[in-house]
Amino acid sequence: MSAIYVSVVVVATAGLVYELVAAAAASYLLGDSITQFSTVIGAYLFAMGVGSFLSRYVRRGVAARFVEVEIAVGLVGGWTTTVLFVAFAQTPHFRVVLYGLVGVVGVLVGLEIPLLLRLLRGRLAFSELVAQVLSLDYAGALLASLLFPLLLVPRLGLIRTSLLVGLANVAVGLWSTWIFRRELATAGYLRGLAVAALVCLGGGALAAERITTWSEERLYADEIILARTSAYQRIVLTRWTDDLRLFLNGHLQFSSRDEYRYHEALVHPAVAAHAAPRRVLVLGGGDGLAVREIVKYPAVQSVTLVDLDPEMTRLFSHNPVLIAVNGGALRDPRVRVVNADAFVWLGQTREAFDVVIVDFPDPHNFSLGKLYSRSFYRLLRARLAPGGLVSVQATSPMFARRSFWCIVETLRSAGLAARPYHVYVPSFGEWGFVLAGLEPPAAPRAYPDGLRFLTTEATPALFVFPPDMAAVPVEVNRLDNQILVQYYGAEWQRIFPSL
Amino acid sequence: MLAAGGCRASVASSLEGEIVGAGHRLGHLLREPGRLPPPSGAERVAVAIVGGGVAGLSAAWQLARAGVRDLVVLELEDTPGGNARSSVSAVTGYPWGAHYLPLPGQAAHGVRTLLREVGVIEGVDRAGRPVYDERHLCHAPQERLFLLGRWHEGLFPAPGAGAEDRAQLERFRQEMDGYRRWRDGAGRRAFAVPRAAGAPGAFAELDRVSMADFLTARGYTSPRLRWWVEYGCRDDFGSDLAHTSAWAGVHYHAARDADPEYGDVVLTWPEGNGWLTRRLAEPVADRVRLGQLVVNVEPVAGGVAVDAYDARAERTRRIVAREVVLACPVFVAARLYRPWRERPPAFAAAFRYAPWLVANLHLDRAPTGAGGAPLAWDNVLYDSPALGYVVATHQSLRSHPGPTVLTYYRSYPGPDPAATRRALLDASWATLRDGVLRDLARPHPELAREVRRLDVMRYGHAMVRPEVGFVCGAARAAAAAALSGPVHLAHGDLSGFSLFEEAFEWGTRTAARICARLPRLT
């Protein structure tokens, strides 16, 4: 009889851990933990009720059904977290997957106790049976609620926790084939099933090191809600309360709290200064945030976004959290996404553009430095329609002053009239941009409604550089000297010596 | 040697590769001409060029520019280019030999004209200096050196150098500057590229000592400085300090000025100088015949007969040309030009050649391993008998590095090139592969597992060695003056060292001479 009591505790503990794991993963990925915990717990308990109700339809072979339920709950519950993490990155329907899984696991867990009670009916008096089983069930819940935050998550992480608990569930199923051997006609078949499930879950637990991102969790201050290694880069998305941050290869790309300052400043001075910005090209910027600003102009007829990484543009076209950030801009019918290397694409295209927005990562290395070279800007100039304008993100004139002015001078050396400006972005610091054109760019006429930062009145002040950011003598960045990468490395090294 | 990796067991089982270039096997048939079928036919052309290397293609290019279309270029290998041959794979073009060209100085106007025509030079600035298309200039970072377990920027072994090393380097540079600035009464340099533009006989006494003795006599004892100077000799001449004439050694350092705009950057392409030879061959593409072993050149009634064995057709065909350019190494010319075959000229023995090995390694991504300076175009190993490797995708404009090809070079300097040549030509692919991987295992311990494909090319006679007494000696002068038409000798050998500019100069100059001899053709 004590073997059965142990099983009850294990089953009860596992049942609550599945619920906690789903709720924790949901708040980890979607934020707003109050909502996630409430809805997941509610849905889970309701599904358990459905399971209990359904148990009445199990008429014969109760022991075999109990073992099957244990194996099923172990498999589905065990893989829940992994599936949730993968689904978050892969599908736009994360919540469907979340509540679907919570429902299935809840129904299966709801079946467990009624079936167990029926199996033990003959062995104990009814009042004692109910008292024993239910008290152990609630004790298991206490055990789960203590183990989960104190031991399981800190030591194993979410993915391995749920796989381990799944293993325990299946183990109970396997054990039951001996405990209830007299009630079972097909013990051999059930044992084979259980062993297969154990192998499946055990393999997952061993490979969890790869699935989980916990080595990276130490690198970032906030919780990682998405981490992908694409063919080109490591994409990491973190969240802390309402602040969503995107990192590419460990470099911060935006913080959802203040990115509007950056993207309004990057896009509007160029687009609003153009008399008829019909065809717009965006180089880099696969997050779609620059595109979000561009599609605010009714005059814009087409936006071509060229970003190397299809994973980036796919994520920012489909992931619900990321669509919330860019307003679904990449699905605007005027937008065409091209996944290609910007330098190579620019050399091959025959199209002409009225406005080009250049939003590449900072020149950390020689590969990126090419995208800031005179050769690159010459190619870019050749693609400008008459009156065409360019806007270039140009790192910080405060922290990387020579780098910033090197970009300005390189644009000028390519035959473009360049007007540098700067804005303050709290998560980045003082940030620089260059507005350039075949002819000296005019002042922006009128901005679209609803901007949170830029106004036409305040714009002229952005073009004024105080003495600590003023122009310094620099060389032109060419492919054969890549002087910008040297400036950049030296300047950021001074500020962050550990880099 | 610290060789640890690279042993057979650690090589990826999927590693494929082969020995490429059948030229030397076919070339050895020259030693047994009796085994070849007798010549048949008598095709008539105005000009036959024997050899499709830089000299031969330059001659053809120049003749085509002058309007001479009735010409044929006979090349032994399956691809033209000679020492500037190249291949192309799904990943990139990559070189099998020479892979860069220094910015040509004012004296090299022929090369400047070529570069202008093919778009490498875009125009001239206000001061009249050439403006280059940046894409052809070697991108940064250009060079790095593996020393003391790490990669360091630049080629001079500066890490661990003492004050004495640095002082000697500085003194050496100043001394070379002196040679560089020297001019004769007519304003000519002592050391010029092409050589023919220099003052004849200037500093000829340097040819009587080796570069090793030159350095020792002047107190250049720093092992680091001597390594650096020797590296230049091994790289450009295929010879070590002891077997390089000091005149050639000084020429290496004193013949070129840094460009005021671009510094001492070089021009390079994924396929190396194969890019240039392809441009040279373009105007005569339909006139280049490959796989042709020329076995005999002899004056006959009405012209000069050129007998070429076509290995694929297994036939020897005779071409009768009005003018013939022997655009092949002097040791080859001596075997196929009948008068020389019958009475070997005295100068022939003075031309001695360095064997080379070139390997091309296909990788899915840039090699991993030792830290320090990032992957550069030219990656040199300090403690290595080889010259290191260049990266074929270095000039790619892609911002994300993908699969690549590394071209590994090794010259075989030393006292007995003939013995090394035999050993090299006898070695199997597996032996050569293991040697390459063992050498590269020090900076890249994982390389043997990362390589997808490794092909090797063996050059028995890659380039003439500028040995003591040869560079300014009588034999070289005699060879250069030996033929004056209708058979001509045109090859970089005649300059005493193997440089693109020299071969180009001999080829184009010979073409001009032919045009003068055949005025009605042009």
Side-chain angles (χ1 to χ4, degrees):
Chain A
M1 211 50 211
S2 58
I4 293 172
Y5 293 148
V6 171
S7 299
V8 173
V9 174
V10 171
V11 165
T13 310
L16 196 75
V17 168
Y18 295 134
E19 178 184 323
L20 292 171
V21 157
S27 36
Y28 190 66
L29 294 168
L30 299 172
D32 190 4
S33 55
I34 293 176
T35 307
Q36 309 314 335
F37 268 88
S38 302
T39 54
V40 166
I41 289 174
Y44 190 80
L45 289 176
F46 174 73
M48 279 176 69
V50 174
S52 301
F53 178 78
L54 291 176
S55 69
R56 66 186 294 177
Y57 297 108
V58 179
R59 302 206 195 275
R60 266 168 306 189
V62 174
R65 296 297 91 74
F66 175 74
V67 173
E68 283 166 4
V69 165
E70 286 308 298
I71 294 170
V73 79
L75 272 178
V76 180
W79 283 105
T80 295
T81 326
T82 310
V83 172
L84 287 178
F85 274 96
V86 172
F88 182 75
Q90 296 288 351
T91 85
H93 312 295
F94 174 74
R95 285 192 175 83
V96 177
V97 177
L98 170 68
Y99 294 110
L101 278 172
V102 165
V104 170
V105 177
V107 166
L108 291 167
V109 170
L111 281 164
E112 286 176 318
I113 298 297
L115 292 180
L116 200 60
L117 286 173
R118 283 163 61 184
L119 279 171
L120 302 177
R121 196 163 42 185
R123 303 193 186 191
L124 283 175
F126 184 69
S127 57
E128 197 178 336
L129 179 65
V130 171
Q132 286 285 11
V133 170
L134 290 185
S135 61
L136 286 172
D137 186 25
Y138 293 123
L142 176 66
L143 188 62
S145 65
L146 293 175
L147 280 178
F148 184 75
L150 297 179
L151 190 70
L152 294 174
V153 174
R155 287 287 169 87
L156 300 175
L158 283 176
I159 288 180
R160 273 189 295 193
T161 294
S162 63
L163 287 164
L164 190 77
V165 173
L167 278 169
N169 253 135
V170 178
V172 166
L174 186 60
W175 195 4
S176 305
T177 61
W178 277 280
I179 297 173
F180 303 116
R181 59 187 171 277
R182 260 167 277 146
E183 289 93 331
L184 285 171
T186 55
Y189 160 72
L190 290 170
R191 280 173 198 160
L193 215 57
V195 169
L198 285 176
V199 169
C200 169
L201 289 162
L206 289 178
E209 197 72 50
R210 295 213 185 132
I211 304 165
T212 179
T213 55
W214 83 311
S215 62
E216 262 166 328
E217 285 166 19
R218 289 183 219 137
L219 280 175
Y220 300 93
D222 304 334
E223 287 185 342
I224 295 171
I225 62 170
L226 183 148
R228 304 302 294 279
T229 302
S230 75
Y232 302 100
Q233 57 200 338
R234 184 78 177 148
I235 304 169
V236 170
L237 202 63
T238 69
R239 174 200 295 287
W240 188 72
T241 66
D242 64 338
D243 184 13
L244 202 63
R245 289 175 178 233
L246 174 73
F247 295 83
L248 297 181
N249 292 333
H251 300 286
L252 177 63
Q253 303 302 304
F254 70 74
S255 155
S256 63
R257 283 195 175 165
D258 58 18
E259 57 79 17
Y260 65 92
R261 280 187 161 230
Y262 175 96
H263 289 100
E264 286 183 11
L266 171 69
V267 168
H268 295 296
V271 181
H274 197 284
R278 283 191 289 269
R279 297 152 297 177
V280 182
L281 171 67
V282 182
L283 301 173
D287 53 27
L289 298 177
V291 177
R292 178 193 66 200
E293 298 302 316
I294 295 165
V295 296
K296 289 177 179 169
Y297 292 81
V300 170
Q301 293 169 355
S302 75
V303 183
T304 306
L305 170 71
V306 179
D307 191 284
L308 183 60
D309 193 351
E311 197 61 41
M312 269 292 282
T313 49
R314 207 184 56 76
L315 278 171
F316 280 87
S317 302
H318 296 299
N319 184 287
V321 173
L322 301 177
I323 289 176
V325 178
N326 68 20
L330 297 186
R331 295 160 147 195
D332 188 289
R334 289 171 287 173
V335 176
R336 175 171 66 121
V337 174
V338 178
N339 292 118
D341 190 286
F343 210 142
V344 177
W345 185 86
L346 212 51
Q348 288 165 349
T349 186
R350 295 260 151 264
E351 292 176 68
F353 297 93
D354 301 309
V355 178
V356 183
I357 306 294
V358 185
D359 190 15
F360 293 129
D362 277 8
H364 306 289
N365 57 44
F366 292 107
S367 297
L368 288 166
K370 293 175 187 175
L371 299 171
Y372 293 82
S373 66
R374 183 172 66 180
S375 286
F376 181 80
Y377 293 141
R378 279 184 179 170
L379 266 186
L380 193 61
R381 192 186 62 164
R383 301 269 55 90
L384 285 181
L389 292 175
V390 181
S391 168
V392 182
Q393 95 81 4
T395 191
S396 170
M398 181 79 203
F399 306 128
R401 190 167 161 189
R402 278 186 306 164
S403 307
F404 175 77
W405 290 102
C406 171
I407 296 170
V408 176
E409 281 312 311
T410 305
L411 279 160
R412 286 179 177 151
S413 79
L416 290 161
R419 293 190 63 203
Y421 60 102
H422 64 100
V423 299
Y424 181 69
V425 184
S427 60
F428 281 12
E430 201 63 56
W431 212 256
F433 302 89
V434 191
L435 178 60
L438 297 170
E439 305 298 327
R445 294 142 202 263
Y447 291 131
D449 292 337
L451 299 195
R452 297 164 70 188
F453 172 61
L454 279 186
T455 61
T456 41
E457 297 75 47
T459 298
L462 306 182
F463 289 82
V464 179
F465 282 81
D468 64 348
M469 295 193 286
V472 281
V474 284
E475 282 185 57
V476 167
N477 186 42
R478 295 195 317 247
L479 289 172
D480 61 291
N481 66 12
Q482 290 256 26
I483 193 78
L484 176 61
V485 176
Q486 293 176 38
Y487 288 152
Y488 188 87
E491 288 175 322
W492 284 98
Q493 180 88 42
R494 228 175 35 226
I495 296 164
F496 300 111
S498 64
L499 281 180
Chain B
M1 290 280 273
L2 294 161
C7 61
R8 232 163 263 210
S10 66
V11 172
S13 55
S14 60
L15 177 50
E16 294 174 2
E18 60 180 346
I19 292 176
V20 297
H24 70 91
R25 238 173 292 141
L26 202 52
H28 283 184
L29 290 175
L30 265 184
R31 293 186 179 149
E32 307 159 79
R35 284 178 50 191
L36 297 174
S40 63
E43 180 188 356
R44 293 202 154 260
V45 295
V47 184
I49 299 169
V50 179
V54 174
L57 293 175
S58 302
W61 176 79
Q62 182 75 328
L63 285 167
R65 272 161 49 91
V68 180
R69 297 286 308 163
D70 186 17
L71 62 88
V72 59
V73 179
L74 302 167
E75 166 58 38
L76 173 67
E77 297 284 346
D78 292 333
T79 42
N83 276 1
R85 237 174 300 163
S86 62
S87 286
V88 64
S89 71
V91 174
T92 176
Y94 53 90
W96 279 118
H99 56 273
Y100 71 94
L101 179 69
L103 298 187
Q106 270 177 329
H109 19 85
V111 175
R112 282 189 173 186
T113 305
L114 168 68
L115 296 180
R116 182 85 205 236
E117 284 197 7
V118 300
V120 172
I121 293 179
E122 292 180 325
V124 288
D125 65 8
R126 276 188 216 117
R129 288 191 304 252
V131 176
Y132 288 89
D133 181 339
E134 248 168 80
R135 286 173 299 176
H136 305 298
L137 297 173
C138 181
H139 300 171
Q142 274 116 12
E143 293 162 333
R144 63 173 183 169
L145 177 68
F146 183 71
L147 168 61
L148 304 170
R150 266 179 90 73
W151 290 102
H152 305 273
E153 238 175 83
L155 207 52
F156 186 81
E164 180 59 23
D165 295 308
R166 284 191 289 274
Q168 287 192 18
L169 173 66
E170 186 48 37
R171 185 156 62 83
F172 180 81
R173 284 194 164 137
Q174 278 175 11
E175 187 171 358
M176 292 301 124
D177 256 358
Y179 288 115
R180 198 201 326 269
R181 282 195 294 267
W182 188 94
R183 298 290 185 274
D184 73 355
R188 291 176 295 190
R189 314 168 65 109
F191 300 92
V193 179
R195 236 194 114 172
F203 297 104
E205 68 276 12
L206 289 177
D207 190 35
R208 287 198 285 272
V209 292
S210 71
M211 196 62 187
D213 292 342
F214 172 91
L215 291 175
T216 307
R218 284 162 172 73
Y220 296 116
T221 52
S222 156
R224 284 180 151 71
L225 174 68
R226 292 177 78 103
W227 177 90
W228 180 67
V229 174
E230 182 162 65
Y231 181 84
C233 293
R234 290 194 287 135
D235 193 29
D236 259 32
F237 308 138
S239 51
D240 55 16
L241 290 179
H243 295 88
T244 302
S245 153
W247 197 93
V250 171
H251 184 275
Y252 179 91
H253 293 277
R256 294 186 175 96
D257 299 320
D259 187 281
E261 169 77 9
Y262 303 100
D264 52 9
V265 69
V266 299
L267 296 163
T268 189
W269 302 269
E271 63 274 57
N273 290 2
W275 190 88
L276 285 172
T277 51
R278 242 193 7 237
R279 300 289 167 306
L280 282 174
E282 257 163 26
V284 292
D286 55 335
R287 314 242 127 238
V288 179
R289 296 183 195 169
L290 303 170
Q292 304 292 317
L293 172 67
V294 174
V295 291
N296 179 47
V297 174
E298 63 174 306
V300 292
V304 182
V306 178
D307 299 330
Y309 172 68
D310 183 327
R312 216 163 295 143
E314 296 187 7
R315 277 179 55 188
T316 307
R317 289 199 191 86
R318 171 160 287 193
I319 297 170
V320 179
R322 291 170 67 189
E323 300 280 321
V324 170
V325 184
L326 296 173
C328 50
V330 170
F331 84 96
V332 176
R335 277 184 205 156
L336 49 86
Y337 184 44
R338 185 163 183 182
W340 287 352
R341 202 162 55 237
E342 285 165 358
R343 274 195 58 211
F347 57 75
F351 287 77
R352 307 216 308 152
Y353 294 83
W356 275 65
L357 171 81
V358 181
N360 272 297
L361 291 75
H362 276 76
L363 283 91
D364 289 341
R365 68 189 81 85
T368 56
L375 187 69
W377 168 64
D378 192 9
N379 304 271
V380 177
L381 281 58
Y382 184 72
D383 296 303
S384 166
L387 299 159
Y389 62 87
V390 294
V391 180
T393 51
H394 183 79
Q395 296 294 97
S396 161
L397 297 175
R398 294 181 184 282
S399 50
H400 190 269
T404 190
V405 176
L406 310 182
T407 309
Y408 172 92
Y409 292 92
R410 178 168 180 184
S411 59
Y412 293 88
D416 191 357
T420 352
R421 179 175 307 127
R422 273 191 302 277
L424 180 63
L425 297 183
D426 286 342
S428 69
W429 173 75
T431 308
L432 298 171
R433 170 200 69 191
D434 290 348
V436 173
L437 292 178
R438 203 177 306 125
D439 189 31
L440 292 177
R442 287 170 299 121
H444 306 301
E446 295 299 314
L447 190 78
R449 274 180 287 276
E450 294 166 348
V451 182
R452 290 273 157 271
R453 186 173 178 85
L454 192 159
D455 297 307
V456 291
M457 177 99 81
R458 303 168 299 179
Y459 292 90
H461 301 79
M463 51 175 62
V464 72
R465 302 209 316 179
E467 296 188 357
V468 177
F470 170 73
V471 184
C472 301
R476 196 188 58 84
L483 300 173
S484 54
V487 179
H488 310 262
L489 187 57
H491 195 268
D493 276 10
L494 299 175
S495 295
F497 34 73
S498 176
L499 292 182
F500 179 91
E501 301 94 316
E502 300 297 336
F504 179 86
E505 179 73 11
W506 286 105
T508 50
R509 208 202 294 177
T510 305
R513 209 160 59 185
I514 289 173
C515 288
R517 285 170 54 85
L518 301 174
R520 262 176 302 152
L521 276 179
T522 56

